[in-house]
Amino acid sequence: MAQAAYEPEPVPQHSEPSFDVLRWHDEPWTAQLALDLLPETNGPKVEVLSGSVIVTPHAGYDHKDAELDLAYLIKQAARRAKLWLYLATNIVSGQDLFIPDIVILDAPGGGRTTMDIGHAVLLGEIVSPGNRRKDIIDRPREYAASGVPFFLRVDLRNRVPTIALYELTEGEYRPVAAAAAGTRFVMREPFEFSIDLGDLLGEEALPDASDGDA
């Protein structure tokens, strides 16, 4: 008796965006596919690089503390220069999708889900302990390749903050301003801004009550 022809398992159909699609979609990912098929989330970052989806969990409390304080202070300076600041928003570069910690654009993003990287004047990353290579090496390289004029890096290693600003020169980022803990960071381009690095971190968490128990 002849065997029935093999029929491949049908690809699941999803009426709404779902992370389940990561289990069955085996073709290269693009920024548009991720935006169409994956749900919006206030949880992990979901980015696309070179055809792969990259999921990054929430950063620690120091990271979020510095991100909020820095954004509050920078936003005022950026608006005076007719630039717009956003936190952790979608930036599309060709088929890739990035979500930088700090995004400064030459046009407002109101009403939009994404902005093209061509509108990015400055992109910034706050270095996370588990993603040091990405934040220090990979992302600056990718942003430079896309022609982003400035890159800002904030490092909170060992709770000792440092900030460095880089300008794109001949296809590579060159440092133009930097400061370490105990000093003041000052930059002139793409707009004037300064900050005392002591303002970036809140207090350390109190030890658990159990730590003092005998």
Side-chain angles (χ1 to χ4, degrees):
M1 181 177 178
Q3 292 183 336
Y6 170 75
E7 294 184 4
E9 183 178 348
V11 173
Q13 299 297 315
H14 296 271
S15 57
E16 295 183 357
S18 169
F19 282 113
D20 288 345
V21 71
L22 293 173
R23 294 187 299 159
W24 58 262
H25 184 84
D26 56 4
E27 298 295 323
W29 282 87
T30 66
Q32 193 58 55
L33 270 176
L35 293 166
D36 290 342
L37 299 180
L38 298 177
E40 292 184 7
T41 173
N42 290 323
K45 283 186 180 180
V46 179
E47 301 174 290
V48 176
L49 178 62
S50 301
S52 297
V53 171
I54 302 169
V55 180
T56 308
H58 270 308
Y61 281 83
D62 280 346
H63 184 290
K64 303 306 290 185
D65 199 17
E67 185 178 64
L68 290 171
D69 287 343
L70 191 60
Y72 173 78
L73 296 169
I74 288 184
K75 185 173 184 177
Q76 313 306 316
R79 289 300 295 120
R80 288 194 291 271
K82 297 183 179 179
L83 300 172
W84 286 262
L85 179 142
Y86 300 93
L87 291 180
T89 47
N90 296 320
I91 295 293
V92 174
S93 176
Q95 301 299 322
D96 294 334
L97 174 66
F98 299 123
I99 306 181
D101 291 322
I102 298 168
V103 175
I104 295 179
L105 306 174
D106 63 6
R112 299 175 61 92
T113 301
T114 68
M115 288 291 281
D116 187 86
I117 203 166
H119 286 290
V121 174
L122 180 152
L123 297 179
E125 298 289 353
I126 300 174
V127 180
S128 297
N131 294 299
R132 291 192 65 82
R133 177 183 170 83
K134 183 198 80 170
D135 294 333
I136 293 176
I137 298 175
D138 297 339
R139 285 305 155 86
R141 183 182 297 159
E142 291 147 10
Y143 299 157
S146 297
V148 178
F150 292 91
F151 174 71
L152 184 72
R153 186 177 73 226
V154 181
D155 199 336
L156 307 173
R157 193 171 193 175
N158 299 323
R159 304 198 87 244
V160 179
T162 61
I163 301 182
L165 176 70
Y166 301 82
E167 184 174 9
L168 190 63
T169 304
E170 297 180 352
E172 295 183 356
Y173 285 126
R174 310 287 186 187
V176 292
T183 61
R184 191 167 188 84
F185 172 76
V186 179
M187 70 186 211
R188 304 298 181 193
E189 296 290 341
F191 50 86
E192 292 191 0
F193 172 73
S194 66
I195 183 174
D196 184 334
L197 268 66
D199 294 337
L200 281 184
L201 291 180
E203 296 179 354
E204 276 193 274
L206 295 173
D208 293 339
S210 58
D211 291 348
D213 294 340

